[in-house]
Amino acid sequence: MSYHLKNIVLIIITFVSFETKVFSQNYQNKLIEVSNSSYWKKLLHYEEGFFSSSSLADSDTFFLSKNGRDNLLEELEANIEAFKKIESLYTPEKMPAQCAFPERFNFIKNSFSEIKFKEAKCPDFQKWKKAVVGESVSLVFASAYVNNPSSMFGHTFLKFNQRNVEKLSEDMFNYVVAFSAHSDSSPGFLYALKGLFGGYKGVINVKPFYQTMKEYSKVESRDLWEYELNLDKDEIDSILNHLWEIFANTNFDYYFFDENCTSVLARILDLVSVDISYVENMRGYSLPTELVRTLSDSSKVGSVRYHPSLRKIFWAHYNKLSDSDKEDFHKLVKKEVVDTNAQVYQAVIHYYDYMRHDHENAIDENFAKYQKEILSKAAKAGRSSEIAIDTPISPDQGHLPAKVGLLLGKRNKDTVNSFQIRPLYHGLNDTDKGHEPWSAIEVLKLDFNFNHDQNNVGIENLTIVDVQSLPNFSFLDKNISWDLSLQVNPMIEDYKESSLKTSFSMKLGVSKQNSRFLFSTLIGAKVEAHEFYENFFRVGPHLKLVSGFLIGKSKLLANVNYFHSLVGKGELSKRYYYDYSLGLSIPVSTQGVFELKSTSNGRLGTFKDSFDSYSAGVSIYY
Amino acid sequence: MKKLLVICAFLFTSYTMAADSSSGCGLGWAVLSKNSLVSSFTRTFINATFSSTIGMTLGTSGCAQHSIVKNESKIIHFSEANFYQLQKEIALGNGPYVTAFSGLIGCEDTQNFNSRIQKKFDKIYTDVNTTPNVALKNILKSVQEDQELSANCHII
């Protein structure tokens, strides 16, 4: 080889290697850029934390790289390599990566047009997608079940509408995709505890809407609210592709507060949201109502539909009956022989259906026989006309869940400023618009004050959790009220205002209520703990009376509590105390309320020892 | 008629549908097919561990396709899953479930179907122990015996 030729070859080699180096450098930069893109992070459910960042997905099959859970770049490289080949290795069902991760495949294919990827046939995925896909998507909110603590925040899921949403009979065959706790145990105390502290796996499940309708609106008597979302075909496609990725490959831990049905749905919807981030609107907890509200406020929501629960259907039919028809209704329920009309039979049928689903323990062979008899008689009475059921105020119209308030007042003779903060969710004195009337669930409410005369700061109350379910009791619908409360309070009844005691109480009772009035009587037990007490605790019966009135939009609430400890030596009068409170809330704007409050603690017969406070101020929901 | 035969074949064989609960199919179902309380619990555990959601949906792993339902078995699944709702609405002569059902079996004149089938209530639900399968069989028989319905419904 001549000297010149050798030089030319050397130059070419240098140039090519330089080009390769430049290309490789560019490719490397692009890899880093794509791996840090928000879409890639969303696809991996990657959460950036203060100390460490990683994916919230809890199954190894969701990641193609060994370090994929924490390393965005390595996971992207592993996905690119997998999409260059067709190997049936992925998901527990063993399918090609292109079929296991269709949205990742689309995203990577569009981001790296210079790479030749292989297309795979995906019969399982295509079959699933063809069955589920719809022309529109609705976010469905299942409101709280009146007496079930585990459902108190509500539930959300997605519904894909293949057919005309307005036509309920066809709508029933649409599919619903939900993220929910995989649980075999029936709801109860343990269920709630596991939900709070972990112990459940959350999985995506797919069901026909008729099944979901039956489960929620019939069996659990929960209203369903359907918010149709303004999403285009490509956005629906992306959501569905990504749902499959989760559905086929992974699960998430399930916690009631922060990693629940709503947080996962919010992350999925966030994939296609360009003008609003639902995830950023979540504040350490995710409430179904907040997702619904964020969507409503974002103009992403088109039409809203209401599906009443079986309980509401029954009461609507019953309340429409004339007085003589109501008499016939009660006679039929008492199994007396009556010759009546189709409307009465219709109300009785809805009643028995509600009883059968909601009060399962009241069902026996005789009930089933009589229900069948009524159905048979109704069929002979001919067709009854359907009645319209009023649509209540939708859940997105309610107040925001967090509340902060500043009140000024007197405590005995001292001037006191009190500051209240509650991160969630709904108190008995809050406006019921958009909520189940006369119910309360408050978590981590802190109430502290500054005493100007004594120049000190003290805790007035720390509510760790307070749940009050006060449904209406009637002989047709025998709902039991209950409440549960875990609190820290100063021992003012023992003149130790600066010393804090912890108390836990659980009570059962009955309530009479309608949308304007409440009267509730509850009785149960209370345990109080403090080192000052003999054996560190007191325990005994606890009585509570609650009454409430709506005066215009203002809410007046009166609360009386009486506790009598059965343990402890010494004078009997030292072991019991009462307290009462009177509060008036006057809404001043959609998210602001003026509050007046008066409380008193003391012991019967010793009024001079009572401890009184009066305060007034403004609270803001945020 | 072909469709009716398919349904009848489903109904008269020993084939039974899986219940609504997700326990009962999926990977765990294939591992332990004996239906007892203990195995039911174990199945759920296995299902949860191995994320057998695809199996539960597509009817692989011996599952009865209760999520994405095949067209032929849709009628059976719907009438079984909504047994009480259907019974209630047949007695009332109207309602979304009986209307959806009439569409499902190809009876498009819903009002006519609903009022005619209401009159057959006692023939469909002969006693308190009528099973969903027998009720469905009786509905289809009633449609077949009714000249007008059998002429207007596509399924026959």
Side-chain angles (χ1 to χ4, degrees):
Chain A
M1 199 186 286
S2 75
Y3 176 76
H4 287 293
L5 195 64
K6 205 173 171 183
N7 271 349
I8 289 166
V9 170
L10 259 176
I11 288 166
I12 291 170
I13 290 172
T14 315
F15 184 73
V16 169
S17 96
F18 177 74
E19 275 286 282
T20 317
K21 212 170 167 184
V22 169
F23 172 78
S24 141
Q25 190 57 48
N26 284 345
Y27 178 64
Q28 204 57 36
N29 289 344
K30 192 171 176 183
L31 274 177
I32 293 167
E33 193 191 317
V34 174
S35 72
N36 281 315
S37 69
S38 69
Y39 204 74
W40 182 242
K41 285 178 187 168
K42 285 174 187 175
L43 283 177
L44 294 183
H45 292 253
Y46 191 79
E47 195 178 64
E48 279 163 338
F50 195 70
F51 297 108
S52 67
S53 303
S54 72
S55 170
L56 293 167
D58 290 309
S59 179
D60 289 339
T61 45
F62 196 58
F63 308 101
L64 306 194
S65 151
K66 211 171 74 185
N67 302 319
R69 196 186 301 268
D70 318 297
N71 194 317
L72 292 164
L73 182 63
E74 278 187 36
E75 182 58 22
L76 179 66
E77 287 172 323
N79 275 261
I80 290 172
E81 287 313 306
F83 295 146
K84 285 178 184 170
K85 298 169 262 193
I86 295 180
E87 290 174 324
S88 298
L89 294 172
Y90 304 94
T91 82
E93 305 288 315
K94 304 292 171 222
M95 56 180 73
Q98 290 86 337
C99 306
F101 301 100
E103 189 55 20
R104 285 190 206 176
F105 183 52
N106 286 345
F107 171 67
I108 289 174
K109 209 165 56 174
N110 294 334
S111 304
F112 296 91
S113 50
E114 65 274 29
I115 302 177
K116 261 199 144 176
F117 292 109
K118 289 251 167 76
E119 298 279 347
K121 278 188 182 146
C122 308
D124 282 351
F125 167 56
Q126 290 304 339
K127 187 178 171 190
W128 182 86
K129 191 170 172 180
K130 202 176 153 201
V132 180
V133 75
E135 288 126 42
S136 72
V137 179
S138 300
L139 179 83
V140 186
F141 173 77
S143 67
Y145 175 31
V146 69
N147 234 352
N148 179 356
S150 60
S151 78
M152 275 216 152
F153 294 115
H155 187 48
T156 42
F157 41 85
L158 292 176
K159 178 167 147 276
F160 289 81
N161 307 309
Q162 260 169 352
R163 300 177 187 87
N164 184 3
V165 189
E166 293 304 316
K167 228 173 149 188
L168 182 62
S169 52
E170 286 186 6
D171 188 28
M172 283 196 169
F173 299 107
N174 286 321
Y175 279 97
V176 158
V177 178
F179 176 76
S180 47
H182 189 99
S183 146
D184 222 19
S185 50
S186 53
F189 187 65
L190 220 98
Y191 175 87
L193 215 64
K194 273 174 90 176
L196 288 174
F197 300 109
Y200 286 123
K201 276 176 192 297
V203 292
I204 291 269
N205 49 50
V206 184
K207 285 175 186 173
F209 186 50
Y210 61 73
Q211 207 155 317
T212 311
M213 270 282 278
K214 193 189 72 175
E215 283 166 10
Y216 286 94
S217 113
K218 312 289 177 235
V219 179
E220 294 201 343
S221 234
R222 294 162 75 166
D223 290 348
L224 293 179
W225 291 89
E226 205 176 305
Y227 296 83
E228 198 175 358
L229 306 178
N230 297 321
L231 298 178
D232 64 30
K233 199 175 165 294
D234 289 343
E235 289 175 322
I236 295 173
D237 211 49
S238 294
I239 289 183
L240 206 55
N241 288 348
H242 183 59
L243 279 172
W244 169 264
E245 294 178 344
I246 305 172
F247 179 66
N249 293 289
T250 193
N251 53 62
F252 297 91
D253 284 337
Y254 195 96
Y255 297 96
F256 281 165
F257 281 127
D258 60 344
E259 211 174 324
N260 54 22
C261 60
T262 298
S263 66
V264 174
L265 278 196
R267 292 205 298 273
I268 291 164
L269 289 173
D270 212 30
L271 275 180
V272 294
S273 152
V274 281
D275 55 347
I276 186 161
S277 170
Y278 313 115
V279 178
E280 276 169 22
N281 278 290
M282 303 293 153
R283 296 169 284 193
Y285 55 85
S286 23
L287 287 178
T289 41
E290 290 318 286
L291 178 61
V292 167
R293 192 196 317 278
T294 315
L295 282 167
S296 289
D297 293 347
S298 73
S299 76
K300 282 269 173 194
V301 168
S303 60
V304 181
R305 280 185 81 202
Y306 170 64
H307 303 281
S309 68
L310 187 51
R311 184 169 66 97
K312 299 245 168 90
I313 292 172
F314 157 63
W315 281 109
H317 280 86
Y318 178 80
N319 292 331
K320 284 264 161 79
L321 293 180
S322 67
D323 286 348
S324 66
D325 281 352
K326 275 184 186 161
E327 267 178 42
D328 285 353
F329 175 97
H330 288 282
K331 280 181 187 162
L332 276 177
V333 169
K334 283 183 204 149
K335 299 188 183 175
E336 288 174 25
V337 181
V338 190
D339 187 22
T340 190
N341 60 54
Q343 291 304 117
V344 177
Y345 281 123
Q346 190 177 28
V348 178
I349 283 176
H350 288 308
Y351 174 63
Y352 276 107
D353 195 18
Y354 170 57
M355 290 299 288
R356 177 161 212 137
H357 283 121
D358 204 63
H359 299 263
E360 195 70 55
N361 51 0
I363 306 307
D364 57 19
E365 208 182 317
N366 285 336
F367 177 95
K369 265 189 190 160
Y370 192 60
Q371 186 185 26
K372 166 80 178 50
E373 218 175 283
I374 292 286
L375 287 169
S376 179
K377 281 181 181 166
K380 288 184 189 85
R383 203 179 153 160
S384 53
S385 56
E386 296 217 44
I387 67 156
I389 291 162
D390 297 337
T391 304
I393 295 166
S394 60
D396 57 293
Q397 302 294 311
H399 65 79
L400 288 159
K403 190 180 179 184
V404 61
L406 184 65
L407 287 91
L408 297 171
K410 284 271 180 197
R411 264 177 149 252
N412 284 354
K413 282 174 184 156
D414 296 346
T415 306
V416 168
N417 271 12
S418 85
F419 182 73
Q420 304 177 335
I421 185 159
R422 178 198 71 193
L424 52 140
Y425 160 69
H426 177 64
L428 214 55
N429 58 344
D430 293 323
T431 161
D432 285 333
K433 202 169 109 178
H435 289 266
E436 191 67 36
W438 307 111
S439 66
I441 177 160
E442 293 187 297
V443 182
L444 293 177
K445 184 172 83 173
L446 178 66
D447 196 342
F448 62 93
N449 59 49
F450 177 69
N451 189 319
H452 290 270
D453 294 296
Q454 294 178 19
N455 208 19
N456 66 359
V457 175
I459 288 182
E460 236 169 88
N461 166 267
L462 168 65
T463 298
I464 296 159
V465 63
D466 182 32
V467 183
Q468 296 181 61
S469 178
L470 312 169
N472 188 47
F473 179 92
S474 76
F475 288 101
L476 286 176
D477 193 7
K478 298 183 185 71
N479 283 307
I480 298 295
S481 297
W482 58 270
D483 102 347
L484 179 154
S485 175
L486 179 59
Q487 302 198 351
V488 177
N489 291 305
M491 296 173 42
I492 45 178
E493 70 283 353
D494 290 307
Y495 313 106
K496 292 186 187 324
E497 212 188 323
S498 56
S499 194
L500 298 171
K501 65 178 179 188
T502 309
S503 62
F504 176 73
S505 76
M506 253 182 108
K507 298 175 280 295
L508 293 174
V510 287
S511 304
K512 280 307 287 180
Q513 58 132 299
N514 59 32
S515 58
R516 309 202 69 80
F517 154 84
L518 163 80
F519 185 76
S520 200
T521 313
L522 297 139
I523 188 151
K526 186 172 184 175
V527 187
E528 292 190 337
H530 189 271
E531 58 177 358
F532 164 78
Y533 299 140
E534 201 180 344
N535 298 325
F536 303 109
F537 77 97
R538 282 179 171 179
V539 62
H542 185 200
L543 174 76
K544 183 176 178 177
L545 303 173
V546 190
S547 54
F549 303 92
L550 275 191
I551 309 154
K553 284 182 177 171
S554 304
K555 205 173 196 181
L556 182 70
L557 265 182
N559 237 307
V560 180
N561 284 283
Y562 178 75
F563 170 61
H564 193 126
S565 176
L566 298 175
V567 297
K569 285 180 192 161
E571 289 173 56
L572 187 69
S573 64
K574 295 279 181 208
R575 285 194 266 130
Y576 72 83
Y577 63 84
Y578 70 85
D579 62 74
Y580 71 76
S581 67
L582 198 64
L584 181 68
S585 318
I586 307 163
V588 286
S589 72
T590 49
Q591 300 297 347
V593 62
F594 178 72
E595 290 178 324
L596 280 167
K597 216 168 93 182
S598 159
T599 62
S600 183
N601 292 58
R603 293 195 159 105
L604 296 170
T606 51
F607 283 108
K608 62 180 167 51
D609 290 343
S610 71
F611 196 94
D612 304 314
S613 76
Y614 309 92
S615 55
V618 175
S619 291
I620 307 288
Y621 299 98
Y622 67 99
Chain B
M1 193 66 192
K2 192 184 152 218
K3 212 170 174 184
L4 185 68
L5 286 175
V6 174
I7 295 164
C8 289
F10 268 105
L11 288 174
F12 291 115
T13 55
S14 58
Y15 181 91
T16 48
M17 294 292 294
D20 294 336
S21 158
S22 54
S23 169
C25 44
L27 192 64
W29 183 253
V31 178
L32 292 150
S33 59
K34 196 178 165 217
N35 200 357
S36 69
L37 196 66
V38 179
S39 64
S40 174
F41 177 79
T42 322
R43 273 200 304 279
T44 309
F45 176 72
I46 294 172
N47 286 339
T49 314
F50 292 100
S51 177
S52 64
T53 40
I54 309 177
M56 280 152 69
T57 303
L58 295 177
T60 53
S61 311
C63 191
Q65 300 205 336
H66 70 265
S67 292
I68 305 293
V69 186
K70 263 187 191 171
N71 280 338
E72 287 81 8
S73 54
K74 219 173 189 171
I75 296 169
I76 301 165
H77 188 269
F78 182 85
S79 57
E80 190 165 297
N82 304 303
F83 177 66
Y84 287 114
Q85 290 312 311
L86 212 49
Q87 185 177 10
K88 172 184 164 181
E89 291 185 6
I90 286 176
L92 289 171
N94 63 38
Y97 288 85
V98 67
T99 303
F101 181 80
S102 76
L104 206 53
I105 62 166
C107 303
E108 276 163 12
D109 186 352
T110 301
Q111 288 230 346
N112 188 30
F113 173 82
N114 290 356
S115 59
R116 280 177 173 268
I117 213 75
Q118 185 186 29
K119 293 191 182 89
K120 311 261 165 93
F121 181 87
D122 284 342
K123 277 190 174 175
I124 297 164
Y125 303 97
T126 48
D127 63 71
V128 72
N129 298 319
T130 305
T131 62
N133 276 2
V134 169
L136 176 58
K137 196 183 76 182
N138 291 343
I139 295 173
L140 296 175
K141 216 169 125 197
S142 300
V143 172
Q144 214 177 6
E145 282 168 5
D146 186 312
Q147 274 195 348
E148 197 181 327
L149 283 183
S150 64
N152 293 332
C153 297
H154 304 318
I155 194 164
I156 305 297

